[in-house]
Amino acid sequence: MARCLVLLNPRAGTLEDLAAASGGEPAERVRQAFAAAGKDVDVRMAPPRDLGAVLDELARGDDHDEIIVGGGDGSLSLSLGKLLASGKTFGVLPFGTMNLLARDLGVPQEIDEAIAALARSEPAEVDLASVNGRPFHSISGLGFFAQMARAREAARGLKGLGRYAGFTVAALRAFFRSGRSRYQLVIDGAPLVVEATAVLVTNNAFGDGAWRRPRLDGGELEVIVAHSGTMRERLRLGVDVVAGGWRANPLIEVFRARRVEVRKSRRPRVWVATDGELAREPTPIVYEILPKAARMLRPTLSADALAAAPVALEPGVEA
């Protein structure tokens, strides 16, 4: 039987909610819930400031076959980057705000249902992408997307804001801060210069009407260019993004590729937001698709079966 380690971010809001609701130690509650669902796991707390060191330690030698990360998209992206070469199977407990990969894998957003799903999951090979040689699992963006990540960091310091309220504040700040920039793209060897407010590179294409990917093994990048427009046109684009009609917006141009280079206004380094985390990247920024580079735990049960699965997260309930 595969040995499984669950890494939990104790600062994740979902985990803090669990501790408050159950009145117990969250790590032990998570272990009990996995056991009740039929999966024995080891659980280790890994605060954000320590996660890199914990992953480095695991990379030097560890006998766990599976690593389940209880955190957001950024924590999972960092874990993949540190441990991908180990050949381990990865899973995700969706404790973040967006949880893009968890949603696309079919992992439920409620913690008890997510644990039941992961306990009954099978490994599936999925694509990753890389930015300047580092793997990521979902999205990397410049312009508006980088501004949004910067605004989100600032919003985290505002008292009294919930996770989703903070996300909304970040989006509004980014919208008004983002201007037009000249981007020099090389898409599978073909050069292209655009005036845009944002360039987004995704690992496989998102579907129409939602920020969800129909498949994770298509073997290609999608490049989404949001061209510059008037304030009114940009407001219309913002509405279309929320409503799901962004592909039909006249400011949007889309390309498919396996390798993309991006430069911004001849700058040697630019801000890039990748899987929700912000970094200054040297240019040209090189994106590549990594076909079937990772093994991820993917639920195999239907939603009804998962809802009926036993877990032990309610206050006073023991495994």
Side-chain angles (χ1 to χ4, degrees), residues 181-286:
S181 297
R182 172 167 291 190
Y183 294 93
Q184 298 169 311
L185 311 179
V186 181
I187 302 174
D188 280 345
L192 176 69
V193 177
V194 297
E195 296 283 341
T197 59
V199 174
L200 181 68
V201 179
T202 70
N203 170 27
N204 286 289
F206 283 86
D208 295 332
W211 289 98
R212 298 285 299 275
R213 289 168 290 180
R215 61 182 301 179
L216 298 174
D217 59 354
E220 63 181 3
L221 305 170
E222 181 168 68
V223 184
I224 304 170
V225 176
H227 288 279
S228 301
T230 64
M231 179 62 75
R232 184 174 182 175
E233 290 171 330
R234 290 167 57 199
L235 283 170
R236 177 70 257 177
L237 176 58
V239 171
D240 286 344
V241 168
V242 173
W246 57 273
R247 283 192 182 275
N249 188 283
L251 294 183
I252 294 295
E253 188 173 12
V254 174
F255 306 87
R256 302 289 176 88
R258 294 180 62 85
R259 188 179 191 275
V260 181
E261 295 182 17
V262 184
R263 292 182 186 269
K264 181 182 179 182
S265 303
R266 301 178 181 177
R267 296 181 184 177
R269 300 177 71 88
V270 296
W271 288 107
V272 180
T274 303
D275 287 341
E277 299 299 317
L278 190 65
R280 291 195 71 192
E281 297 286 350
T283 60
I285 303 167
V286 178

Side-chain angles (χ1 to χ4, degrees), residues 5-19 25-28 30 34 42-52 54-55 67-79 91-97 99 111 152-153 156 163 277:
L5 174 65
V6 179
L7 295 176
L8 298 177
N9 174 7
R11 292 182 58 190
T14 305
L15 198 63
E16 293 175 349
D17 295 344
L18 169 62
E25 170 59 39
E28 179 59 19
V30 169
F34 270 107
D42 298 323
V43 182
R44 182 171 178 178
M45 289 296 199
R49 67 178 182 276
D50 299 332
L51 180 58
V54 170
L55 295 170
I67 304 291
I68 294 176
V69 179
D73 287 318
S75 297
L76 181 59
S77 195
L78 177 61
S79 302
V92 55
L93 275 172
F95 287 171
T97 301
N99 303 312
I111 184 172
R152 188 187 66 174
E153 291 298 320
R156 284 173 175 169
R163 292 191 297 277
E277 299 299 317

